[in-house]
Amino acid sequence: MEKHEKIKTLTVELLKEYFELKDGCFYRIKSFYHKSRVNKKLKIHHNKQYDKVSIFGKSYDLHRIIFLYHYGYLPENIDHIDGNIVNNDINNLRACTISQNAINRRKRPNLTSKYKGVSYIKKTGKWLACIRINGKSTYLGSFDNELDAHVKYVAIAKENHGEFVNLN
C-alpha cells in the first residue's frame, strides 16, 4: 500500500499485513508512518459498550476486528456467547442474526421475577410466562408459583432458541 493511500475497506489481508494478534491484543508489525511504532501493542479505547481500536485512523469494535482476523470475513452481527462484551476471546465470538443476539441477552435486572421470561401479575397473584419466538410474543401460561413458570419458559426456550438460548 502506498504511504498516503486512503483505506476505504479494512480487509483480512491488510489487517494481517500490518498487525499480528497475540493473546487477544493486536501488535503492529509494519508501519508506513512511524517505524518506532512497529512491535507496539495497539491501544484499546473503552467506551460505554464495546472495546475499540483505531486502525488507519478509523475506529473499530475490537471484537469485530478479532473475528475478521480469525475467520476472514465480517458478519452483520457478532454475538458474545457468554454475554460478557469485554470477553473478546475468539472462542466466545460467533456470527449471528439480530434476533439470535437478542435471544442471548440476559434478563433485565429490574423485573418482578428472578427468572427470564417470568413476571408477577399483582392483580391476579399469578406468575406469567412469556417468550419471543420469531419476533412475536407468545403467552406460555399463568402459574401459581414462580418456579413452575420458569420451568415452562426453559422448556420452550430450549426447543425454539437452540444454541443461542440464555436462561438468565
Side-chain angles (χ1 to χ4, degrees), residues 107 110-130 139 141-147 149-150:
K107 176 186 92 59
N110 59 344
L111 299 177
T112 56
S113 171
K114 60 185 171 188
Y115 301 114
K116 186 175 180 181
V118 176
S119 55
Y120 183 71
I121 308 303
K122 201 177 206 178
K123 187 175 183 179
T124 63
K126 300 270 186 181
W127 293 91
L128 178 79
C130 229
Y139 171 75
S142 155
F143 302 85
D144 290 329
N145 66 65
E146 186 179 21
L147 188 56
H150 174 64

Side-chain angles (χ1 to χ4, degrees), residues 17-161:
E17 180 182 345
Y18 283 86
F19 302 96
E20 179 181 20
L21 182 61
K22 290 190 281 189
D23 302 322
C25 298
F26 280 101
Y27 292 84
R28 190 179 307 277
I29 56 175
K30 184 177 174 183
S31 176
F32 51 77
Y33 286 118
H34 304 284
K35 301 294 182 217
S36 63
R37 290 187 180 169
V38 173
N39 296 321
K40 296 263 171 105
K41 185 164 78 167
L42 277 183
K43 289 182 182 175
I44 296 174
H45 308 283
H46 306 281
N47 71 3
K48 290 179 182 175
Q49 287 211 341
Y50 300 111
D51 289 342
K52 304 234 180 225
V53 289
S54 184
I55 298 176
F56 305 125
K58 187 173 178 190
S59 182
Y60 296 93
D61 291 337
L62 180 60
H63 67 284
R64 294 185 63 75
I65 299 306
I66 290 172
F67 193 97
L68 173 64
Y69 191 91
H70 276 277
Y71 295 114
Y73 77 101
L74 267 178
E76 188 81 23
N77 298 286
I78 298 173
D79 182 45
H80 288 80
I81 297 168
D82 68 0
N84 179 357
I85 63 171
V86 295
N87 178 1
N88 292 315
D89 184 277
I90 192 61
N91 297 315
N92 189 45
L93 303 176
R94 62 184 167 191
C96 67
T97 65
I98 290 173
S99 94
Q100 288 169 327
N101 200 343
I103 289 165
N104 191 31
R105 286 192 189 121
R106 293 182 180 150
K107 176 186 92 59
R108 293 192 328 250
N110 59 344
L111 299 177
T112 56
S113 171
K114 60 185 171 188
Y115 301 114
K116 186 175 180 181
V118 176
S119 55
Y120 183 71
I121 308 303
K122 201 177 206 178
K123 187 175 183 179
T124 63
K126 300 270 186 181
W127 293 91
L128 178 79
C130 229
I131 191 168
R132 287 192 76 77
I133 300 172
N134 298 325
K136 293 181 181 174
S137 189
T138 303
Y139 171 75
L140 302 177
S142 155
F143 302 85
D144 290 329
N145 66 65
E146 186 179 21
L147 188 56
D148 288 345
H150 174 64
V151 168
K152 180 68 173 186
Y153 175 85
V154 167
I156 301 300
K158 284 181 177 179
E159 182 183 310
N160 287 278
H161 297 158

